[in-house]
Amino acid sequence: MYKIPGKNENLESLIAEIQALLNEIKNEQTKMVKEMERYHKVTMRKLEKLREFDEIADMTNTVFERRLSNIEQMLSRIYK
């Protein structure tokens, strides 16, 4: 004879399914957080490299501007 599940058994099975789904969601979120942390570290390293390149470019521009300024001063002395 087939036994019809009672309300308690039905609720228990639904609760078990919900718990399984919640665990699955929790695991996915944990995995996503780890990936986001890894991507964040990579992005921060890239930003640091860009800052270094920017500092180098600023130094190069400063040297170039000094040289141009010196040339302009020399030319202005010559043509006075």
Side-chain angles (χ1 to χ4, degrees):
M1 186 170 171
Y2 180 73
K3 182 179 176 184
I4 298 174
K7 288 184 181 180
N8 286 343
E9 291 175 359
N10 198 17
L11 288 175
E12 288 174 5
S13 67
L14 288 174
I15 289 171
E17 285 182 46
I18 290 171
Q19 286 177 334
L21 289 172
L22 287 174
N23 284 337
E24 203 174 308
I25 290 170
K26 180 182 169 187
N27 292 338
E28 274 298 311
Q29 286 179 338
T30 303
K31 187 171 127 183
M32 287 174 64
V33 165
K34 287 179 182 177
E35 283 184 33
M36 294 299 289
E37 287 174 354
R38 186 173 57 88
Y39 290 141
H40 178 71
K41 286 179 185 178
V42 170
T43 302
M44 293 309 291
R45 275 190 246 133
K46 287 180 180 180
L47 283 173
E48 186 59 36
K49 285 287 184 190
L50 286 173
R51 285 187 191 116
E52 289 175 19
F53 289 139
D54 190 42
E55 288 175 11
I56 292 169
D58 285 345
M59 287 188 273
T60 304
N61 286 339
T62 303
V63 170
F64 185 71
E65 287 172 5
R66 278 192 209 144
R67 288 182 181 172
L68 276 179
S69 175
N70 289 340
I71 291 170
E72 288 172 350
Q73 288 175 2
M74 290 173 58
L75 286 174
S76 67
R77 286 184 203 146
I78 292 173
Y79 289 113
K80 282 187 179 180

